[in-house]
Amino acid sequence: MLSCNIGRPFLRLGAFSLAQIRNKFTIALVNPNTPGNYRKAKITTSNYGLSMLSGFLQHYHKVDVTVIDGRAEMLTSEEAFERVSALKPNLVGVSLLVDESVDWTNGLFERLRKKDPRTHITVGSYFPSILPQQALDMMPEVDSIVVGEGEVTFSDLVHTLDREREWKLVPGINYRGEDGNVIKNIARAAVRPTDALPYPDRYMGHGDGGDSEAMIEGTRGCLFACTFCAVNSADKLPTAGPVRIRSADSLVTEMAALMERYPKLQGFRFVDSDFILPGTQKRAEEFADLLVERNVNTTIMCDLRAPSVIKYQSIVQKLQKAGLQRLYMGLESGSRDILKKMRKASTPEKNIEATRILREMGLDYSYGFMMITPWTEDRHVEENFDFLEKVGRMEFRCLNHEMTLIPGTTSYKRAEATNTLVWQGSLSYYSYTVPSPRIEKYRTLFKQLQKEYPLCFGEAAGYMYESLRGLHKNGFIEKFDYLEKLVDSLFLSVGRYTWEAANTDVGKDEFVQDCYGRYCEKFESLIKEFDPQVTFENCNKRIPKHVAKYQI
């Protein structure tokens, strides 16, 4: 077995062999040029899964691995094919978060298959892992699917192909049987311990790291069971245990190394589902202490549950002193009933209390929120408006954001039995009908409003939200407080006005014209409070300076 880099312990992989590749073996890993990202930040985002996979393969197999990021480089499938085919790869792997990536990916695969039928083509990530039959049906050139966490399964596939053995025996993959139906091999146990994983291949790295931030992983998995979340349905494996945790020393060592490599790196964004899990408080405190002790002067953003903010307030304060600048919380609903159906293990009161604590601490926060779910009733919508008014700092999309149903999740199974599901593709997977005619009309009116006037109710609203974050980050708190109240009030006014219209017989065209006439000047006037030079037409180009343009 090979030793890990920079003095790390051996990686325990059970019976899996890490023998060296015998022949010259070339691998192309591809990120499709589709949105494929649940976050709306105006940045170029690397594919962290491919970064981890590339780093693992290069470290343990010393193979020739190239990541081609179609999204970052705005490549067409034909341009990606030219890049991939020039490598003469033995194996091509594509990461598909959602099925929206299929058309672009098929354009690449069809050209590859004509060029060299011997090339093994595999896909991974959420969409093919959750819906393997659908993925195989939609992508006829695919040979295999790497299910769940990919490092060990993909490595085993490389090792098997190199020795010209039967790759269909590799644990952790799915493939197409002779009858066209998916064949699912035995699930692959997850890699443990997480500390032993090689560092990701920072393929988006450039220059000194100016205008960039780095994604970093502190844990894998989640202790909780939110009914709408795909993490456990896609990634929880039989022998993995619910969560695998990196040590504080491992995290700080990687962060310090990245800051040395990229002196102007703006900060770190943790991709963990929750940074302070029950049982990891000591790790969080040690992490904060080590950042200060080793003089790692940086900024941090991470996800945290609202109950954790309340219970571990002292730890959050310690992290703040060490560089924590912003938290993301999954607040999700202002209704106690809906939170129970989501199994969020929180209440509206706790969520409001958490935001109060963060305000007093001077920490910025953002949050996930779903105005509409398969179980939402009229009274829940009204509770949501009241809740949003109390927590503030809302994105405009919170006013019409819907729970999306992902096959394999508890929410999907429940809704399948009680609602009419509608396949949406793209970033939505499944939408659904709701019992309330008023909510259905609210959805229709709001979507039409954004469709007809995207500069006002899309670009301008997004500009104001991002600019508020920039004011907070750069310490302009007095101006932030003043403008935050105005933005929240304007956004809520639009939402409530639409909700009232949904209770009338007004037509959508009549409503859209009326609403735009009522609010257009207010939006235009408010964006000029941030910058007098900003208009509807150019606000999308005036990205606030605080927003990193790259994630390495």
Side-chain angles (χ1 to χ4, degrees):
M1 182 174 286
L2 302 176
S3 61
C4 295
N5 54 359
I6 62 170
R8 290 181 167 197
F10 292 123
L11 183 61
R12 306 299 180 187
L13 297 174
F16 173 64
S17 170
L18 283 173
Q20 286 292 320
I21 298 300
R22 298 183 305 180
N23 308 305
K24 177 176 172 54
F25 201 94
T26 302
I27 301 168
L29 301 176
V30 182
N31 189 32
N33 182 18
T34 51
N37 188 356
Y38 68 92
R39 291 193 309 105
K40 299 297 183 182
K42 297 177 181 178
I43 55 179
T44 303
T45 310
S46 61
N47 186 306
Y48 196 77
L50 293 185
S51 297
M52 288 296 298
L53 185 55
S54 177
F56 189 95
L57 293 167
Q58 292 183 60
H59 180 77
Y60 281 112
H61 287 312
K62 314 302 180 187
V63 290
D64 184 4
V65 184
T66 302
V67 179
I68 298 170
D69 198 319
R71 182 170 182 259
E73 300 185 56
M74 298 299 292
L75 301 176
T76 64
S77 58
E78 184 174 6
E79 290 169 335
F81 163 72
E82 296 297 335
R83 294 272 296 277
V84 172
S85 63
L87 300 172
K88 298 181 179 178
N90 304 90
L91 174 59
V92 176
V94 176
S95 174
L96 291 92
L97 180 65
V98 291
D99 82 317
E100 185 180 30
S101 304
V102 167
D103 288 344
W104 188 97
T105 303
N106 277 339
L108 168 64
F109 288 168
E110 288 165 6
R111 292 178 174 90
L112 284 172
R113 191 62 78 199
K114 290 178 182 178
K115 177 80 173 181
D116 188 351
R118 298 170 299 175
T119 302
H120 189 95
I121 295 174
T122 191
V123 293
S125 194
Y126 280 96
F127 167 57
S129 292
I130 296 172
L131 297 170
Q133 184 66 64
Q134 186 165 333
L136 292 174
D137 290 344
M138 295 175 71
M139 295 182 285
E141 304 301 338
V142 166
D143 294 306
S144 62
I145 294 172
V146 174
V147 178
E149 294 177 0
E151 290 94 347
V152 178
T153 299
F154 200 97
S155 293
D156 201 350
L157 183 61
V158 170
H159 181 262
T160 302
L161 291 171
D162 176 61
R163 280 157 173 72
E164 298 181 354
R165 295 175 181 168
E166 180 51 74
W167 60 265
K168 292 181 179 180
L169 299 178
V170 172
I173 69 165
N174 291 176
Y175 60 94
R176 187 183 294 102
E178 292 184 2
D179 59 359
N181 292 326
V182 63
I183 296 177
K184 300 180 180 181
N185 285 359
I186 187 172
R188 171 81 65 176
V191 176
R192 303 187 70 165
T194 310
D195 271 15
L197 284 168
Y199 291 150
D201 171 15
R202 301 285 177 175
Y203 70 85
M204 289 281 287
H206 60 100
D208 57 11
D211 292 333
S212 64
E213 65 183 11
M215 290 188 286
I216 189 167
E217 183 179 58
T219 57
R220 288 194 180 186
C222 184
L223 286 173
F224 300 95
C226 299
T227 62
F228 56 84
C229 183
V231 170
N232 281 336
S233 64
D235 291 341
K236 188 174 182 181
L237 302 170
T239 59
V243 176
R244 285 135 293 144
I245 305 164
R246 285 181 67 180
S247 68
D249 178 73
S250 170
L251 290 172
V252 175
T253 298
E254 182 181 2
M255 292 168 69
L258 280 171
M259 292 184 68
E260 183 176 353
R261 180 178 175 186
Y262 305 109
K264 294 185 179 180
L265 188 65
Q266 289 193 352
F268 293 86
R269 182 186 297 265
F270 278 87
V271 298
D272 308 32
S273 58
D274 191 340
F275 190 73
I276 307 179
L277 291 162
T280 68
Q281 304 95 303
K282 185 177 180 181
R283 192 279 301 266
E285 290 191 89
E286 185 182 354
F287 171 71
D289 290 339
L290 285 175
L291 285 174
V292 175
E293 180 185 317
R294 298 181 188 178
N295 196 30
V296 181
N297 186 21
T298 188
T299 61
I300 298 165
M301 176 181 173
C302 65
D303 291 15
L304 200 61
R305 296 171 59 250
S308 296
V309 172
I310 300 170
K311 186 174 183 179
Y312 306 124
Q313 184 176 347
S314 62
I315 300 177
V316 177
Q317 290 172 328
K318 206 168 192 178
L319 288 167
Q320 183 182 19
K321 291 178 181 178
L324 179 62
Q325 193 169 73
R326 182 177 171 188
L327 285 174
Y328 177 89
M329 299 179 290
L331 303 185
E332 312 307 1
S333 179
S335 164
R336 181 182 291 267
D337 292 343
I338 297 300
L339 289 175
K340 283 183 178 179
K341 288 183 180 294
M342 293 177 173
R343 290 211 296 257
K344 280 298 298 180
S346 187
T347 64
E349 293 75 20
K350 285 183 180 179
N351 291 341
I352 292 169
E353 173 66 6
T355 61
R356 184 195 64 77
I357 289 171
L358 295 178
R359 283 178 181 270
E360 289 184 355
M361 292 174 60
L363 266 174
D364 196 13
Y365 60 85
S366 54
Y367 52 88
F369 190 83
M370 305 177 199
M371 180 63 79
I372 299 171
T373 75
W375 314 284
T376 300
E377 301 173 8
D378 292 0
R379 61 189 175 89
H380 300 141
V381 173
E382 291 162 4
E383 289 172 346
N384 284 340
F385 282 129
D386 292 341
F387 175 82
L388 288 171
E389 186 172 12
K390 291 173 183 175
V391 299
R393 302 192 190 182
M394 73 192 74
E395 289 188 74
F396 190 71
R397 70 190 188 100
C398 288
L399 298 169
N400 198 42
H401 192 217
E402 303 180 14
M403 173 188 287
T404 54
L405 299 176
I406 303 173
T409 61
T410 302
S411 287
Y412 175 86
K413 294 173 184 176
R414 288 179 180 173
E416 188 178 30
T418 57
N419 301 70
T420 300
L421 304 189
V422 182
W423 174 254
Q424 293 292 300
S426 186
L427 300 180
S428 298
Y429 287 104
Y430 281 91
S431 185
Y432 39 84
T433 58
V434 293
S436 164
R438 186 177 181 182
I439 294 176
E440 287 290 356
K441 186 166 185 178
Y442 177 79
R443 294 164 105 178
T444 300
L445 294 180
F446 211 104
K447 288 177 181 178
Q448 189 68 17
L449 190 65
Q450 292 187 299
K451 179 181 178 180
E452 293 292 331
Y453 295 105
L455 292 180
C456 179
F457 300 108
E459 303 295 353
Y463 170 82
M464 287 188 280
Y465 176 79
E466 291 294 346
S467 294
L468 280 172
R469 307 280 75 76
L471 288 173
H472 196 287
K473 180 174 183 177
N474 292 306
F476 298 104
I477 303 302
E478 186 175 343
K479 187 173 184 179
F480 170 86
D481 288 340
Y482 164 70
L483 288 174
E484 182 198 19
K485 291 182 176 64
L486 295 178
V487 171
D488 287 344
S489 176
L490 179 58
F491 287 3
L492 277 170
S493 181
V494 175
R496 285 189 162 121
Y497 187 72
T498 308
W499 179 240
E500 291 305 317
N503 203 32
T504 70
D505 60 358
V506 65
K508 65 179 181 181
D509 292 335
E510 179 186 352
F511 165 77
V512 166
Q513 295 305 316
D514 173 62
C515 191
Y516 181 71
R518 179 181 292 264
Y519 290 105
C520 170
E521 290 186 5
K522 294 179 181 180
F523 271 79
E524 195 160 30
S525 174
L526 189 48
I527 61 175
K528 291 185 182 299
E529 291 269 5
F530 291 92
D531 185 340
Q533 303 302 313
V534 174
T535 66
F536 286 164
E537 288 72 23
N538 69 8
C539 62
N540 189 42
K541 298 177 182 177
R542 299 177 73 89
I543 299 174
K545 293 181 180 179
H546 79 287
V547 179
K549 295 181 182 178
Y550 299 91
Q551 284 186 335
I552 62 175

